[in-house]
Amino acid sequence: MDFECAIVCPAGIPPPSRRRAYRRHPLNICQNHVYASPRNVRLPHSRNPVSPASLALVRRPSAFCYDATMTRRSKNRANPDTERQPHPPATHRREWLWALAVGVMALALFVITLAPTVTAEDSGELVAAAWHFGVPHPPGYPLWTALCGVWVHLFAVGSIAWRANLFSAMCSAGAASMVFLALRQVGLSRLVASSAALVWVWSETSWMQSVITEVYALNSLVTAAIFCCALRWYATRQTRPLLFASLLAGLGMCNHHSIGFACLALVVWILSLQPSLLKRWKLIAQSLTLLLVGLLPYAYLPMRAAADPAMNWGDPSTFDRFIKHVTRQQYGAIGPIKTPEPRSLERFAGQSWYMVETVAEDLTPWILAASILGMVVMTRRARAMLWLVVLWVACTGLLFVLLANFDLDRTARWALQVFFIPVSLGLAVAYAHLLEAIAGKLRNAIVISILTLIAPGVLIASHYDTCNYSKYWYAEDHAENMLACMLDRAIIFPSGDHSTFPLVYKVLVEGERPDVTIADMYGYVRPDLVADQPEDSPDPPAVWLIKTARRPVYFATKQAPPVPNASFVTAGILYHLLPNGVPFNGTGLVDKCNYRNDQTPTVDDFGSSHIRYDHEFFKGLNQLEADQPQAALKHFANAAKLCEGIKEGFNNLGSTLAEHHLPNEALPYFKEAANIDHRYITPRRNLYRLYSRQNDWRSARKQLEEILQTEPTDWRANRDLGNLLADHFNERASAIGYWKESLNTNPNQPRISARLTEVP
């Protein structure tokens, strides 16, 4: 029996008067033109006619193709992994307007929570590199540096740091628009695509990276653009999106290497759907060529390094230094975190669970659960897209975890959370399919609209306080306080990103205190400061600079005096290196250090914790020097709360208390530092000294043995353990073995050599 049903005609297809021609055209379920057909309709993805009930899914307007594998009544469902998808209509102007609206919505929230100035960590260094068109830390980020440099010079509104922060916000807003367009390619409704795009860019880590100066917002934009190209290919099987994706992949590698994990997932997915692409040598050659063209921005690094800009990290002006810089060899590993720990199943499980925790915190557990449920829905409605989500999470998440093999201390957790932003994108796609399935059951447009707003609203409510950097002044105030503690023409050796890079911004970008020289802003002494050092000089560069500069010298952390006949004195929140006997009065300097966020609370991120720790530490140190130990212990207790999980912070607290003759108070801080990282031998060495002063030789021996388990060739530990065994345990035979091991590493030990020749 014949019946009449509504058939949807894609854009560009002739009107109903030419129905016969249209029936031979690959059907694309899109509500652009509608006409009546007097008989059953045969979809290109199904061998069986489709009843009018099967066409209920076309009630939502769409200018993009709808995956025919999502029809619910098809008795002989084709395999979406191998079949050819229909050709969608061209993108309509209305779709671009919707994408723009999604981007503007994302940008509005970012601007409201945008940081007003420089923030901690890499922000100050990156702003300086962009402002001077210089070279930032490895691998150089040439694409980000060039684009942000042009932006901060052309958009002359607000402070330079604020402009760079706004650049991040615009990149993430563009990423939201790209995700919207990508999801429209597979037929998801506009409201659903908008919701999923906002869910991704408003996830916690993505939001945080969108309101400060960092490279990850641009990485999100390029990743989303490549993702959109891949889904455009999926909808059309045209090769042009693949070529454009190849070019974007090269450009993305010029920003951040982690984009390679996303590209790998897409390559595997595309080839699994259409293996015949491997036989198209011309397409492969064109793709590789465009990939190489996309890598051309790396030429920026040697070109700008040769001009000797104010920020010239690694000076990649030669081929050898260029390769070392791009491959991150200064950090000792190509991966993001260097660790000597071997891989194991237990270690991988812990790292993977950290990834799950990070994503759950980013998306909230409710949205994560919805995404997992969405993957279940996709097994029936969109198996090809499910395969993409699985590959995406596996490559951007699990494969990264396997290769990085990172530690799980607080520092590593903070540094690595940004690498899981792409994982949230894959889960947002699964969430979108769940939302589309629910919306397909509903007929009330108002209810559907409210439903799509729930998840973005949950993210705003959950993360607004942790992502609102609009009153973040810690980094700028910290830099200004350090500058206020220094004499004219000072040389400073800062320590840690939270101290170094805000100083770099204030001095190199804003021009405050140009008389101050930041000696090691690259993690090593600047080559231009020691260019005149003789090749036969026995001194390390820092020591030679201090000896010859004849200028005030400051350090952010205390260490052994680098030159003889000198010592450190406290100067506010810094250490001032002075010759022995030179008077100095730093009383009251620390009280003059002002932090606006003490009165106006703001985001408590990793950098602000470091800055607040430094302030509390130096306030406690000043109390110790004023012979007020009880007041000092209160400040140290506050500092310990701020540096929870940071081994160096606890060790510094213990060292300061031990130096001021408070060994019992120092003991728990040393133990906590050693427990955080068993490979960190400095607190164990300090515990050995502490136990030795208390004549607790067994505990002292235990510390030395634990040091040698981590560093068997440590000549000091071998020497001290040998002396300990010979002098207090009457184990000379064992002591001789440790002495010999110590001499193998450092033969210049006449006292140990003499003890070996002693007759027992």
Side-chain angles (χ1 to χ4, degrees), residues 506-526:
K506 297 299 291 186
V507 175
L508 297 186
V509 179
E510 292 196 348
E512 186 171 335
R513 291 294 302 273
D515 59 299
V516 171
T517 299
I518 306 172
D520 61 345
M521 61 184 182
Y522 306 137
Y524 56 89
V525 178
R526 284 166 42 190

Side-chain angles (χ1 to χ4, degrees), residues 174-176 178-179 182 200 219-229 392 425:
M178 287 291 104
V179 173
W200 180 46
N219 189 60
S220 294
L221 174 58
V222 180
T223 301
I226 296 174
F227 189 78
C228 185
C229 289
W392 187 271
L425 171 58

